[in-house]
Amino acid sequence: MVARITLVEGDITEQPVDVVVNAANSSLLGGGGVDGAIHRKGGPQVLEECRRLRASHWGKGLPTGRAVATTAGRLPARWVVHTVGPVYRAEEYEERAELLASCYRESLRAAAGLGARTVAFPAVSAGIYGWPPADAARIALGTVAEVLDGGDAEAGAELAEVRFVLFGSEMYGVFERARRELFGRE
Ligand code: AR6
């Protein structure tokens, strides 16, 4: 099952997958990092759909750990699933780590609901939100593997590939090490 998890170094806005996951903030109105890149390249259609989602459902903001879908505008993907990662805070580690895991579960559930077979994730919370990369990688890979292994039948069954798209060789190396630690050499 873990064979369906792949790691690539690159730019998530260039991935021709069914779903690209965005590390958004609760406003859903864009920001820096990967969020900025997705909105820049996706164009006004993505922002417009985010605005509509805010108006209809998420006037107070999308809660941390949740995920919602829009189409992908000019991106080569078909949809964007926007999820809100937790800001890192060591004093509230357990609670926030659970929220980070929830981002991956909820995003995969949303992707499965769209009939997606291929999904690309960035390292949610591991940039501006300050999550230590090695720990972010363990939570990301561990949670996705659980879903694919059938822990969540709703989310895992149809997914052929979950791709982590890591920005830069350093983050790629961190994920590669975490993958080896968690799953060995399979
Ligand atoms: N493709 C793949 N990964 C990328 C890309 C890209 N084009 N650009 C950046 N990354 P971040 P967060 C990496 O900060 O920590 C925004 O302002 C980046 O190097 O994008 O969840 C939102 O609006 C890092 O490894 O997301 C929120 O306010 C990873 O993506 C806040 O940032 C995540 O970094 C969310 O912070």
Side-chain angles (χ1 to χ4, degrees):
M1 286 301 149
V2 169
R4 288 192 276 158
I5 300 178
T6 57
L7 308 180
V8 303
E9 184 187 335
D11 181 343
I12 203 165
T13 67
E14 293 172 2
Q15 305 294 314
V17 287
D18 293 328
V19 165
V20 157
V21 176
N22 181 19
N25 61 64
S26 67
S27 81
L28 294 174
L29 298 179
V34 72
D35 194 10
I38 283 174
H39 278 284
R40 260 194 311 280
K41 190 144 173 199
Q45 189 187 331
V46 179
L47 186 59
E48 184 46 39
E49 285 183 45
C50 284
R51 284 217 175 89
R52 264 188 254 136
L53 279 168
R54 256 180 80 93
S56 61
H57 287 89
W58 305 109
K60 291 186 183 152
L62 184 68
T64 303
R66 301 287 295 272
V68 293
T70 66
T71 54
R74 294 197 288 261
L75 292 167
R78 296 172 71 190
W79 298 283
V80 178
V81 166
H82 307 261
T83 192
V84 183
V87 174
Y88 183 73
R89 219 173 115 80
E91 308 79 58
E92 290 175 22
Y93 178 80
E94 292 301 332
E95 189 183 327
R96 291 185 184 219
E98 179 46 41
L99 287 169
L100 183 54
S102 169
C103 288
Y104 288 97
R105 281 195 297 268
E106 293 290 313
S107 296
L108 290 176
R109 218 172 270 160
L114 294 163
R117 290 183 51 76
T118 52
V119 179
F121 278 102
V124 178
S125 287
I128 293 164
Y129 280 178
W131 208 285
D135 196 55
R138 274 193 295 274
I139 293 170
L141 291 163
T143 307
V144 169
E146 251 171 48
V147 172
L148 292 180
D149 279 341
D152 188 339
E154 242 183 291
E158 303 297 325
L159 292 166
E161 183 190 357
V162 177
R163 186 182 305 173
F164 285 93
V165 182
L166 293 325
F167 211 47
S169 59
E170 221 167 290
M171 192 62 86
Y172 179 81
V174 166
F175 268 70
E176 209 177 34
R177 275 190 295 281
R179 188 183 211 272
R180 214 176 306 127
E181 277 165 28
L182 284 170
F183 313 128
R185 293 215 160 267
E186 48 182 321

